[in-house]
Amino acid sequence: MPDAQILVVDDEPDILSVLVYHLSREGYRVTTAVNGQGALTSAEAEQPDLIILDLMLPGMDGYEVLQRLRGAESTSSMPVILLTARREEDERVRGFEVGADDYITKPFSARELTLRVEALLRRSKAEPVSTSRRVTVGPVVLDREAHRVFSEGVEVDLTRLEYRLLEVMLERRGRVQTRRQLLQAVWDTNAAIETRTVDMHVARLRTKLGNAASLLETVRGIGYRFRALDK
Amino acid sequence: MPDAQILVVDDEPDILSVLVYHLSREGYRVTTAVNGQGALTSAEAEQPDLIILDLMLPGMDGYEVLQRLRGAESTSSMPVILLTARREEDERVRGFEVGADDYITKPFSARELTLRVEALLRRSKAEPVSTSRRVTVGPVVLDREAHRVFSEGVEVDLTRLEYRLLEVMLERRGRVQTRRQLLQAVWDTNAAIETRTVDMHVARLRTKLGNAASLLETVRGIGYRFRALDK
DNA sequence: TCGACCCGTGACGAACTCGTGACAGTTCCC
DNA sequence: GGGAACTGTCACGAGTTCGTCACGGGTCGA
């Protein structure tokens, strides 16, 4: 975390200054933007290590900013924490679907802020999630070449969908995946499948993973997340 | 990894030069090609130790290049790293299916590049896959010179296709092979053959292998795999 | 020409996989 | 504390996949 640069985007001066204050005190370099256009420009130009983005902005709202960030090559994998007053699940779901990495609801404590910032920075530094023929997360090993999976050293026998589901969850470890996202990633095209079916497969996968099942966490109201274990 | 020769295939001058720069600096001999035809020719002529292949090429694209490499005897087991900007899963899956050994997504760091190159060279050196006169995996011995096969010390009499199928499975032991891959490897050219026919030959091969048949595993929904018994 | 062998395909049953409804357990909010 | 929303688990039927059998066409040598 030392010397990381953070872009804070918020149009309310009060909140902006609170954010800047806390983050600066923790030793981060902070830059700011007060609207969507400025956010995009700064993100592109300064390549910050993390962005904190308010959803409610004049003109272009947070979703659109996020969507555009994800669309551009140079910012597509930039860690983003969404900031919102709304507790609505729909909002959060939409946020994760558009590609948010984490979420903070107002009002928030300084401690919550820094914890989330640290966690996200650590995570994105840990692994430039890329595709290799073998993925290891804690006690879980997935070997793409052999198409085999081990949990705590023991081979586990997975069906095609279970394997695929695990593969996706491991690749996107640390990030919440909505049921819809999982459907899209695991079940090819927009299959006409109940989102509840995902739960079923998660359950089956968990029983087969044994003790490691606890790493596959439920995020109530949103979806699932495979815990990212930093080394 | 000292003195290994690498063939880099990319039509974009910028990326090509970056690749050449980094690889040369690491001490590799580097040759280049800017399109599919040139890649095939160079691979054939220079027998590089590794190929880095961009997916997006003018004319013949990376998949086709890879497919042709895998189809020709002298290049069929050449280690290939695919290079792509696309993060899509489909692309990756397709890449592995066609026979890529690894994958790098743009943008990549110099470090990631050299790590993957080293890993792959090390790996392919470790298992001198092809053209050794004799392949032994557990109780199964295939003697290329004598064109004979033994299972648990007993000679087994195989037909031409059975022999070829076993040979391919042994060469690629530990890796899942889809029916399509097997068709391509065993039945030369894109024969118009039902994929189910592969099953039939696997079954025939199994009965002849006796107890060793259990090493030739079915991976439901995917294909087959010969269990790798590591020394 | 004939028989022996090899090979590709269709058919079919067994085993497995998967999606869904139902219901119980849990969590969250008021 | 009570109710609503959400999640875990069970059971079951439909669909898929795979192993095996049977058969017919093709090839090759005698």
Side-chain angles (χ1 to χ4, degrees):
Chain A
M1 305 59 325
D3 201 40
Q5 179 167 347
I6 301 179
L7 170 61
V8 180
V9 187
D10 204 313
D11 64 313
E12 297 171 70
D14 292 353
I15 299 183
L16 190 62
S17 63
V18 167
L19 286 165
V20 173
Y21 171 73
H22 285 304
L23 293 172
S24 303
R25 216 182 46 162
E26 292 290 321
Y28 297 108
R29 283 175 291 135
V30 182
T31 57
T32 61
V34 295
N35 57 46
Q37 200 46 252
L40 292 175
T41 310
S42 292
E44 177 77 39
E46 315 201 9
Q47 293 286 308
D49 300 290
L50 185 149
I51 300 176
I52 296 177
L53 176 64
D54 198 329
L55 268 184
M56 300 242 276
L57 292 173
M60 191 191 312
D61 76 1
Y63 291 125
E64 194 172 345
V65 174
L66 183 49
Q67 218 150 18
R68 294 203 188 189
L69 283 172
R70 291 294 178 245
E73 179 70 26
S74 66
T75 56
S76 66
S77 60
M78 222 169 251
V80 171
I81 296 178
L82 284 184
L83 192 62
T84 183
R86 298 174 253 186
R87 291 209 133 264
E88 304 303 319
E89 310 241 300
D90 287 352
E91 300 292 331
R92 298 181 62 199
V93 169
R94 193 172 157 207
F96 280 119
E97 287 192 347
V98 178
D101 296 276
D102 205 347
Y103 224 88
I104 300 182
T105 51
K106 293 182 273 192
F108 54 87
S109 67
R111 187 171 144 69
E112 181 182 3
L113 172 68
T114 55
L115 276 182
R116 286 184 189 277
V117 166
E118 278 171 26
L120 192 49
L121 284 175
R122 199 180 325 119
R123 212 165 73 211
S124 59
K125 189 145 297 178
E127 193 81 20
V129 187
S130 57
T131 324
S132 60
R133 82 203 156 78
R134 188 168 247 246
V135 188
T136 304
V137 179
V140 179
V141 180
L142 181 144
D143 186 331
R144 286 201 171 84
E145 253 185 16
H147 205 274
R148 296 164 80 184
V149 173
F150 300 86
S151 177
E152 302 175 302
V154 187
E155 175 160 11
V156 289
D157 190 33
L158 300 183
T159 69
R160 201 169 49 82
L161 279 184
E162 286 159 2
Y163 178 92
R164 188 98 187 80
L165 175 61
L166 178 61
E167 187 180 21
V168 170
M169 292 304 296
L170 289 181
E171 263 170 19
R172 309 182 183 178
R173 80 194 84 120
R175 292 196 283 163
V176 185
Q177 295 300 114
T178 65
R179 290 177 174 75
R180 193 164 307 282
Q181 282 177 306
L182 290 173
L183 275 181
Q184 201 151 16
V186 176
W187 280 255
D188 307 317
T189 56
N190 315 357
I193 303 221
E194 296 289 318
T195 54
R196 282 305 312 278
T197 298
V198 175
D199 297 19
M200 188 66 243
H201 286 276
V202 168
R204 285 171 177 156
L205 183 53
R206 277 179 175 151
T207 68
K208 293 192 181 180
L209 286 182
N211 291 330
S214 59
L215 296 176
L216 182 42
E217 304 169 318
T218 302
V219 181
R220 202 183 160 77
I222 310 289
Y224 297 93
R225 171 180 53 211
F226 205 99
R227 193 183 308 155
L229 301 171
D230 305 306
K231 10 13 217 330
Chain B
M1 64 222 85
D3 201 39
Q5 179 166 346
I6 301 179
L7 170 61
V8 180
V9 188
D10 203 313
D11 65 312
E12 295 171 70
D14 291 353
I15 300 183
L16 191 61
S17 63
V18 167
L19 286 165
V20 172
Y21 170 73
H22 286 304
L23 294 171
S24 303
R25 217 182 44 163
E26 293 290 320
Y28 298 108
R29 283 174 291 135
V30 182
T31 57
T32 61
V34 296
N35 57 46
Q37 201 46 253
L40 293 175
T41 310
S42 292
E44 179 74 41
E46 316 201 8
Q47 293 286 308
D49 300 290
L50 185 149
I51 300 176
I52 296 177
L53 176 63
D54 198 330
L55 267 184
M56 301 241 276
L57 292 173
M60 191 192 310
D61 76 359
Y63 291 125
E64 194 172 345
V65 174
L66 183 50
Q67 218 152 17
R68 294 203 187 187
L69 283 172
R70 291 296 178 243
E73 181 67 28
S74 65
T75 56
S76 66
S77 61
M78 223 168 249
V80 172
I81 296 179
L82 284 184
L83 192 62
T84 183
R86 297 174 254 188
R87 293 202 144 268
E88 305 303 319
E89 315 241 299
D90 288 351
E91 300 292 331
R92 237 200 26 243
V93 169
R94 194 174 156 205
F96 277 115
E97 272 207 352
V98 178
D101 296 277
D102 206 345
Y103 220 89
I104 299 182
T105 51
K106 292 182 273 191
F108 53 86
S109 65
R111 187 172 142 69
E112 182 180 2
L113 172 68
T114 55
L115 277 182
R116 285 182 189 278
V117 167
E118 279 171 24
L120 192 49
L121 283 176
R122 203 179 319 118
R123 186 150 57 91
S124 61
K125 192 145 295 180
E127 356 164 342
V129 194
S130 78
T131 57
S132 58
R133 293 184 301 116
R134 174 175 261 246
V135 188
T136 304
V137 179
V140 178
V141 180
L142 182 144
D143 186 333
R144 284 201 172 83
E145 251 180 19
H147 205 274
R148 303 211 293 180
V149 173
F150 301 85
S151 177
E152 301 175 301
V154 187
E155 174 157 15
V156 289
D157 189 33
L158 300 183
T159 70
R160 192 175 52 83
L161 279 183
E162 286 159 3
Y163 178 90
R164 185 97 187 83
L165 175 61
L166 178 60
E167 187 179 19
V168 170
M169 293 303 296
L170 289 181
E171 267 172 12
R172 308 182 184 178
R173 81 195 84 120
R175 295 199 269 168
V176 197
Q177 298 300 115
T178 64
R179 291 177 174 74
R180 197 165 305 283
Q181 283 177 301
L182 290 173
L183 274 182
Q184 195 150 19
V186 176
W187 280 255
D188 306 317
T189 57
N190 314 358
I193 302 219
E194 294 291 318
T195 54
R196 283 305 310 277
T197 297
V198 175
D199 298 19
M200 191 64 244
H201 286 275
V202 167
R204 284 170 179 156
L205 182 53
R206 275 179 177 153
T207 67
K208 293 192 181 178
L209 286 181
N211 290 329
S214 59
L215 295 176
L216 181 42
E217 302 170 318
T218 301
V219 181
R220 192 165 234 277
I222 310 283
Y224 297 94
R225 172 184 56 213
F226 205 100
R227 182 170 281 279
L229 302 171
D230 287 315
K231 34 254 136 160

